[in-house]
Amino acid sequence: SSRLSNGLLGPRPAALRAMGGIWADLGTSLLRSLFGELGDKTFFLTLVLAAWCPWEGPREYDSSAVQRLLVVLGAMVALFSHILVIAEVSSAEWDEWCHESWIFEVFSGLLLALLAFRAYLGKTEPLAASPTAAGDASKGDPLDAKPAEPQYNQHAFAFPALPPVEHNTYGSMEPMTADGLLGQNPSSKTWSSIFAFVVTAACAFTLEAEDKSWYAYVEGGREGADNATGAILGRIPALMVAAFAGYFMVCQLEAASIRLMTIFALLSLSLVSFSQAVLHWGLLEFSQADATATPVANASAAASGGPALLSTLLAGQRR
């Protein structure tokens, strides 16, 4: 019984206590990152880019799964890189780095404004005319409205001709031009996939500065692998929710509505970034002398007024 009480029911070793503290910090950082990422600027950016492509316009709901996955991967890479950059900044340089964060906000505001302008210039393609509409358009001529009669295929039972014999040696390659692989222009799907990753990563990295999830990670402590790991893992489900919301928007809305919502969302995010950058102007920042003098003045006033207030209360009780 003594061995049982000392081994299992006794105090835990220091290593186990330290490991429990690490797991607790990891869980706290993960939850702070999750709730910090839900509804912040990079969340809505991922939602918008999951529904709208800067190259082709509104994405297709049935054949754009790879592009949405690239959007999520681009946002993850950008946010993870931003977390690693913040973690590597020393405490001595942290105040200066925070003071210069307006550069990221101005750059992100410009990028989002350009994307909003691109969405404004983009036009949705007209829908193809349906067979019913084509029949209605040809009501003036009754012969055109009638379906075409089936034609007898005279070559239905003919055997196809054999392909010509090519006298090529084994292992021969097709002649390549001077341009090589770049001889043919990439397709629109290829450009859309490239833009899905590159544009999302560039915008999310700069937009993360002073974001809600950014403050959640900074206030929780920038040092420690457990905090960084929790911050990285907590953003993954939030970004997946944003991508699913963009997919739901594509399935439920028309192309014109998606383009209009994209314009307003990008302009709103651009306005938020520019307004945060304005707050770093010298005219809007408090001076360090005023910030340090106010607590000292309040403390001295409280110290001098405390005895006088106590004597007044005692005199009132005596009366």
Side-chain angles (χ1 to χ4, degrees), residues 31-107:
L31 292 177
R32 288 178 61 89
S33 176
L34 173 61
F35 291 108
E37 183 66 26
L38 290 173
D40 67 348
K41 294 184 293 183
T42 52
F43 178 86
F44 287 107
L45 174 69
T46 306
L47 188 153
V48 168
L49 293 180
W52 176 80
C53 174
W55 183 262
E56 291 185 322
R59 301 188 189 275
E60 300 177 358
Y61 69 92
D62 55 349
S63 60
S64 300
V66 177
Q67 297 178 11
R68 293 187 186 89
L69 180 61
L70 290 174
V71 168
V72 176
L73 290 178
M76 288 181 182
V77 170
L79 297 182
F80 299 168
S81 303
H82 201 105
I83 290 173
L84 295 179
V85 169
I86 292 176
E88 292 297 329
V89 176
S90 61
S91 301
E93 299 176 354
W94 176 249
D95 294 336
E96 183 180 358
W97 193 90
C98 292
H99 186 72
E100 299 295 333
S101 62
W102 64 270
I103 300 176
F104 294 95
E105 294 161 356
V106 170
F107 190 72

Side-chain angles (χ1 to χ4, degrees), residues 132-146:
T132 305
D136 294 339
S138 61
K139 284 183 178 180
D141 191 354
L143 296 179
D144 295 337
K146 292 181 179 181

Side-chain angles (χ1 to χ4, degrees), residues 169-188:
T169 59
Y170 179 75
S172 61
M173 298 179 62
E174 297 181 357
M176 295 188 65
T177 60
D179 296 332
L181 296 177
L182 298 180
Q184 297 180 355
N185 295 327
S187 62
S188 298

Side-chain angles (χ1 to χ4, degrees), residues 257-316:
S257 301
I258 294 175
R259 190 168 65 91
L260 183 62
M261 292 183 63
T262 299
I263 294 172
F264 280 105
L266 292 177
L267 287 179
S268 300
L269 293 176
S270 177
L271 180 61
V272 171
S273 298
F274 282 127
S275 61
Q276 286 182 332
V278 169
L279 293 177
H280 289 276
W281 284 2
L283 296 177
L284 300 179
E285 291 184 349
F286 294 101
S287 60
Q288 190 68 20
D290 296 338
T292 55
T294 302
V296 174
N298 293 335
S300 61
S304 60
L309 180 61
L310 181 61
S311 61
T312 303
L313 293 176
L314 293 176

